[in-house]
Amino acid sequence: MISVVILGAGNLAIHLFEAIDKADQVSVVQWFNRTLNPIESYKNRVAITNDISKLVDADVYILAISDDAISGFSEQLPIHDKLVVHTSGSVGIHDLDKKHRRGVFYPLQTFSKDAEIDFKDVPICIEALDKNDLHLLKDLAEAIGCPYYKINTEQRQMLHLCAVYVNNFTNQLYRIAHEISDAKGISFDVLKPLILETAKKVQTLSPYMSQTGPAKRNDKKTIKKHLKLIENKDHKAIYELLTDSIKKTHGRQKL
Ligand SMILES: NC(=O)c1ccc[n+]([C@@H]2O[C@H](COP(=O)([O-])OP(=O)(O)OC[C@H]3O[C@@H](n4cnc5c(N)ncnc54)[C@H](OP(=O)(O)O)[C@@H]3O)[C@@H](O)[C@H]2O)c1
């Protein structure tokens, strides 16, 4: 049985707690947050605390706190020579304080408190300075039913960058389409099957092979018409930039 202390109570920590709580081979022995309010309602299921001096003994301490707080908070932890991992895509393993056995347990997924998530769809990028600790993180990922990948800090930071493209930027494009469709009294629902099909297609075809549309076909008349229809100048700039990028990609080599 792997014992875990979760530190933090935000979007990720809430889901992590539920996933670990369901697993047979792992247990959350304590949940810390600097404010008790977000974890108060869990007190019948797990020991909760906001007192850092009262941390209990565990195999792994998972810091699911804001990126900027990780380094300083790891210094304040009154534990030594314990496996402390953070869950961030962009923070280095060496940003954790040296007094700990250090590791990373980065779930490459998007978590919001109220959106359900199945951990079998959560790839975990694991890293540790020590071989045995890496093994422990593998066991932990397996126990919660997650696929896992051994990824070093440099690779993880690049993956995090890729995630911004495929998740945040794509979502911002949904937002623009939502604004445009709303302004014309069209339900965003009409676009949802297309959104799903686009995401589904890249599961079997490369993004290069999946591309369609006026920019790929270099359909100049349609592109001109679209540019005339766009009222917002930021939306227009994004359309032009992406059209140009697609044109360049499809005039050049495949990936
Ligand atoms: N959400 C995602 O989709 C996602 C995905 C992958 C990885 N991650 C990583 O998971 C970590 C947590 O992200 P999140 O989205 O769960 O964040 P979040 O919802 O904003 O929650 C942040 C948590 O950090 C705590 N915190 C902030 N500053 C602190 C400090 N100085 N000392 C101690 N605790 C502090 C907050 O405590 P209070 O409640 O007291 O404010 C809160 O519990 C980050 O490293 C993030 O990169 C997130």
Short mmCIF file of all heavy atoms in Angstrom, two decimals, residues 8-13 32-35 38 63-67 69-70 73 87-89 106-107 109-113, ligand 1:
data_model
loop_
_atom_site.label_atom_id
_atom_site.label_comp_id
_atom_site.label_asym_id
_atom_site.label_seq_id
_atom_site.Cartn_x
_atom_site.Cartn_y
_atom_site.Cartn_z
N GLY A 8 -2.46 20.96 -1.18
CA GLY A 8 -3.17 21.80 -2.14
C GLY A 8 -4.58 21.27 -2.29
O GLY A 8 -4.83 20.08 -2.02
N ALA A 9 -5.49 22.18 -2.68
CA ALA A 9 -6.89 21.76 -2.77
C ALA A 9 -7.58 22.43 -3.95
O ALA A 9 -8.75 22.78 -3.88
CB ALA A 9 -7.62 22.08 -1.48
N GLY A 10 -6.82 22.61 -5.02
CA GLY A 10 -7.38 23.27 -6.20
C GLY A 10 -7.97 22.27 -7.19
O GLY A 10 -8.34 21.16 -6.81
N ASN A 11 -8.05 22.68 -8.43
CA ASN A 11 -8.68 21.88 -9.49
C ASN A 11 -8.09 20.49 -9.59
O ASN A 11 -8.81 19.50 -9.72
CB ASN A 11 -8.49 22.60 -10.84
CG ASN A 11 -9.34 23.85 -10.92
OD1 ASN A 11 -10.55 23.79 -10.74
ND2 ASN A 11 -8.71 24.97 -11.15
N LEU A 12 -6.76 20.40 -9.55
CA LEU A 12 -6.13 19.08 -9.69
C LEU A 12 -6.27 18.25 -8.41
O LEU A 12 -6.64 17.07 -8.47
CB LEU A 12 -4.64 19.24 -10.05
CG LEU A 12 -3.84 17.93 -10.03
CD1 LEU A 12 -4.41 16.94 -11.04
CD2 LEU A 12 -2.37 18.18 -10.30
N ALA A 13 -5.98 18.86 -7.27
CA ALA A 13 -5.96 18.12 -6.00
C ALA A 13 -7.29 17.41 -5.72
O ALA A 13 -7.30 16.27 -5.27
CB ALA A 13 -5.61 19.07 -4.85
N PHE A 32 -3.51 18.33 3.15
CA PHE A 32 -3.15 19.66 3.66
C PHE A 32 -3.60 20.73 2.68
O PHE A 32 -3.45 20.57 1.48
CB PHE A 32 -1.61 19.76 3.84
CG PHE A 32 -1.13 21.18 4.03
CD1 PHE A 32 -0.99 21.71 5.31
CD2 PHE A 32 -0.86 22.00 2.94
CE1 PHE A 32 -0.58 23.03 5.49
CE2 PHE A 32 -0.45 23.32 3.11
CZ PHE A 32 -0.30 23.83 4.39
N ASN A 33 -4.13 21.81 3.19
CA ASN A 33 -4.26 23.03 2.40
C ASN A 33 -4.05 24.19 3.34
O ASN A 33 -4.38 24.12 4.53
CB ASN A 33 -5.62 23.13 1.72
CG ASN A 33 -5.59 24.15 0.57
OD1 ASN A 33 -4.71 24.11 -0.29
ND2 ASN A 33 -6.54 25.09 0.55
N ARG A 34 -3.46 25.30 2.82
CA ARG A 34 -3.16 26.42 3.75
C ARG A 34 -4.44 27.04 4.31
O ARG A 34 -4.42 27.65 5.36
CB ARG A 34 -2.28 27.46 3.05
CG ARG A 34 -2.96 28.09 1.86
CD ARG A 34 -2.10 29.11 1.17
NE ARG A 34 -2.83 29.59 -0.01
CZ ARG A 34 -2.47 30.58 -0.75
NH1 ARG A 34 -1.36 31.22 -0.50
NH2 ARG A 34 -3.20 30.94 -1.81
N THR A 35 -5.56 26.87 3.58
CA THR A 35 -6.85 27.27 4.13
C THR A 35 -7.72 26.01 4.19
O THR A 35 -7.70 25.21 3.25
CB THR A 35 -7.54 28.31 3.23
OG1 THR A 35 -7.51 27.84 1.88
CG2 THR A 35 -6.87 29.66 3.30
N PRO A 38 -11.63 24.74 1.54
CA PRO A 38 -11.89 23.85 0.39
C PRO A 38 -11.87 22.35 0.73
O PRO A 38 -12.38 21.55 -0.05
CB PRO A 38 -10.75 24.17 -0.60
CG PRO A 38 -10.03 25.34 -0.06
CD PRO A 38 -10.38 25.51 1.37
N LEU A 63 2.65 17.75 -4.15
CA LEU A 63 2.35 19.18 -4.10
C LEU A 63 1.49 19.54 -5.31
O LEU A 63 2.00 19.59 -6.43
CB LEU A 63 3.63 20.02 -4.17
CG LEU A 63 4.75 19.79 -3.17
CD1 LEU A 63 5.78 20.91 -3.27
CD2 LEU A 63 4.20 19.72 -1.76
N ALA A 64 0.20 19.75 -5.07
CA ALA A 64 -0.70 20.18 -6.16
C ALA A 64 -1.07 21.63 -5.89
O ALA A 64 -2.23 21.95 -5.66
CB ALA A 64 -1.92 19.27 -6.21
N ILE A 65 -0.04 22.46 -5.89
CA ILE A 65 -0.25 23.89 -5.58
C ILE A 65 0.23 24.73 -6.77
O ILE A 65 0.91 24.22 -7.66
CB ILE A 65 0.50 24.32 -4.28
CG1 ILE A 65 2.02 24.14 -4.44
CG2 ILE A 65 0.00 23.51 -3.09
CD1 ILE A 65 2.84 24.72 -3.29
N SER A 66 -0.10 26.01 -6.75
CA SER A 66 0.25 26.90 -7.85
C SER A 66 1.74 26.81 -8.19
O SER A 66 2.58 26.75 -7.27
CB SER A 66 -0.08 28.35 -7.48
OG SER A 66 -1.38 28.43 -6.98
N ASP A 67 2.04 26.87 -9.47
CA ASP A 67 3.43 26.74 -9.93
C ASP A 67 4.38 27.66 -9.17
O ASP A 67 5.45 27.23 -8.72
CB ASP A 67 3.53 27.10 -11.43
CG ASP A 67 2.89 26.04 -12.31
OD1 ASP A 67 2.32 25.08 -11.78
OD2 ASP A 67 2.96 26.19 -13.54
N ALA A 69 4.31 28.84 -6.32
CA ALA A 69 4.48 28.60 -4.88
C ALA A 69 5.33 27.35 -4.60
O ALA A 69 5.76 27.15 -3.46
CB ALA A 69 3.11 28.45 -4.23
N ILE A 70 5.56 26.52 -5.63
CA ILE A 70 6.17 25.20 -5.40
C ILE A 70 7.54 25.29 -4.71
O ILE A 70 7.77 24.62 -3.70
CB ILE A 70 6.28 24.42 -6.75
CG1 ILE A 70 4.87 24.03 -7.22
CG2 ILE A 70 7.17 23.18 -6.60
CD1 ILE A 70 4.81 23.46 -8.63
N PHE A 73 7.40 26.77 -1.10
CA PHE A 73 6.63 25.89 -0.21
C PHE A 73 7.42 24.63 0.12
O PHE A 73 7.41 24.15 1.25
CB PHE A 73 5.29 25.55 -0.87
CG PHE A 73 4.37 24.77 0.00
CD1 PHE A 73 3.71 25.38 1.07
CD2 PHE A 73 4.14 23.42 -0.23
CE1 PHE A 73 2.85 24.65 1.89
CE2 PHE A 73 3.28 22.69 0.58
CZ PHE A 73 2.64 23.31 1.64
N THR A 87 3.37 18.69 -9.42
CA THR A 87 2.48 18.21 -10.47
C THR A 87 2.43 19.18 -11.66
O THR A 87 1.47 19.19 -12.41
CB THR A 87 1.05 18.06 -9.90
OG1 THR A 87 0.68 19.30 -9.28
CG2 THR A 87 0.94 16.94 -8.89
N SER A 88 3.49 19.98 -11.77
CA SER A 88 3.46 21.05 -12.77
C SER A 88 4.17 20.66 -14.07
O SER A 88 5.19 19.97 -14.05
CB SER A 88 4.13 22.29 -12.17
OG SER A 88 4.44 23.21 -13.19
N GLY A 89 3.66 21.18 -15.17
CA GLY A 89 4.30 20.93 -16.46
C GLY A 89 5.50 21.81 -16.69
O GLY A 89 6.40 21.47 -17.46
N TYR A 106 3.35 14.70 -13.16
CA TYR A 106 2.61 15.71 -13.94
C TYR A 106 1.53 15.05 -14.79
O TYR A 106 1.83 14.32 -15.73
CB TYR A 106 3.60 16.49 -14.83
CG TYR A 106 2.95 17.33 -15.91
CD1 TYR A 106 1.98 18.28 -15.60
CD2 TYR A 106 3.32 17.18 -17.25
CE1 TYR A 106 1.39 19.06 -16.60
CE2 TYR A 106 2.74 17.95 -18.25
CZ TYR A 106 1.77 18.88 -17.92
OH TYR A 106 1.19 19.63 -18.91
N PRO A 107 0.26 15.32 -14.48
CA PRO A 107 -0.81 14.76 -15.30
C PRO A 107 -1.07 15.64 -16.52
O PRO A 107 -1.39 16.82 -16.37
CB PRO A 107 -2.02 14.79 -14.35
CG PRO A 107 -1.71 15.83 -13.34
CD PRO A 107 -0.24 16.13 -13.36
N GLN A 109 -3.35 16.61 -18.56
CA GLN A 109 -4.79 16.70 -18.81
C GLN A 109 -5.25 18.04 -18.28
O GLN A 109 -4.49 18.74 -17.61
CB GLN A 109 -5.50 15.57 -18.05
CG GLN A 109 -6.50 14.71 -18.72
CD GLN A 109 -7.14 15.16 -20.01
OE1 GLN A 109 -7.33 16.34 -20.28
NE2 GLN A 109 -7.50 14.18 -20.82
N THR A 110 -6.48 18.39 -18.62
CA THR A 110 -7.03 19.62 -18.07
C THR A 110 -8.04 19.26 -16.98
O THR A 110 -8.87 18.38 -17.18
CB THR A 110 -7.64 20.49 -19.19
OG1 THR A 110 -8.31 21.60 -18.60
CG2 THR A 110 -8.61 19.73 -20.08
N PHE A 111 -7.91 19.89 -15.83
CA PHE A 111 -8.78 19.59 -14.68
C PHE A 111 -9.52 20.85 -14.25
O PHE A 111 -8.89 21.90 -14.06
CB PHE A 111 -7.94 19.12 -13.48
CG PHE A 111 -7.19 17.85 -13.72
CD1 PHE A 111 -5.91 17.88 -14.26
CD2 PHE A 111 -7.76 16.63 -13.42
CE1 PHE A 111 -5.20 16.72 -14.49
CE2 PHE A 111 -7.06 15.45 -13.64
CZ PHE A 111 -5.78 15.50 -14.19
N SER A 112 -10.80 20.73 -14.10
CA SER A 112 -11.60 21.80 -13.49
C SER A 112 -12.40 21.12 -12.39
O SER A 112 -12.82 19.97 -12.56
CB SER A 112 -12.56 22.42 -14.50
OG SER A 112 -11.82 22.98 -15.56
N LYS A 113 -12.62 21.85 -11.30
CA LYS A 113 -13.28 21.24 -10.13
C LYS A 113 -14.56 20.51 -10.51
O LYS A 113 -14.79 19.39 -10.07
CB LYS A 113 -13.58 22.30 -9.08
CG LYS A 113 -12.45 22.43 -8.09
CD LYS A 113 -12.69 23.48 -7.03
CE LYS A 113 -11.36 23.70 -6.32
NZ LYS A 113 -11.27 24.94 -5.60
N1 LIG B 1 -5.70 22.32 -13.39
C1 LIG B 1 -5.10 21.69 -14.37
O1 LIG B 1 -5.69 21.47 -15.44
C2 LIG B 1 -3.69 21.13 -14.17
C3 LIG B 1 -3.23 20.15 -15.06
C4 LIG B 1 -1.97 19.62 -14.89
C5 LIG B 1 -1.15 20.10 -13.86
N2 LIG B 1 -1.61 21.08 -13.04
C6 LIG B 1 -0.71 21.58 -11.99
O2 LIG B 1 -1.29 21.32 -10.72
C7 LIG B 1 -0.90 22.35 -9.79
C8 LIG B 1 -2.15 22.93 -9.17
O3 LIG B 1 -2.94 23.49 -10.18
P1 LIG B 1 -4.51 23.76 -9.97
O4 LIG B 1 -5.09 24.05 -11.30
O5 LIG B 1 -5.09 22.71 -9.13
O6 LIG B 1 -4.43 25.13 -9.13
P2 LIG B 1 -5.57 25.92 -8.39
O7 LIG B 1 -6.92 25.34 -8.65
O8 LIG B 1 -5.34 27.37 -8.69
O9 LIG B 1 -5.22 25.67 -6.84
C9 LIG B 1 -4.03 26.18 -6.33
C10 LIG B 1 -3.75 25.55 -4.98
O10 LIG B 1 -2.46 26.02 -4.56
C11 LIG B 1 -2.55 26.53 -3.24
N3 LIG B 1 -1.57 27.58 -3.09
C12 LIG B 1 -1.39 28.68 -3.86
N4 LIG B 1 -0.36 29.41 -3.40
C13 LIG B 1 0.12 28.77 -2.32
C14 LIG B 1 1.17 29.02 -1.41
N5 LIG B 1 1.96 30.11 -1.52
N6 LIG B 1 1.40 28.13 -0.43
C15 LIG B 1 0.63 27.00 -0.30
N7 LIG B 1 -0.40 26.71 -1.12
C16 LIG B 1 -0.64 27.58 -2.12
C17 LIG B 1 -3.98 27.06 -3.14
O11 LIG B 1 -4.34 27.17 -1.78
P3 LIG B 1 -5.64 28.02 -1.33
O12 LIG B 1 -6.85 27.13 -1.55
O13 LIG B 1 -5.40 28.28 0.12
O14 LIG B 1 -5.66 29.26 -2.17
C18 LIG B 1 -4.74 25.95 -3.88
O15 LIG B 1 -4.95 24.85 -3.03
C19 LIG B 1 -0.08 23.37 -10.60
O16 LIG B 1 1.29 23.09 -10.43
C20 LIG B 1 -0.50 23.10 -12.04
O17 LIG B 1 0.50 23.44 -12.97
C21 LIG B 1 -2.86 21.61 -13.15
#
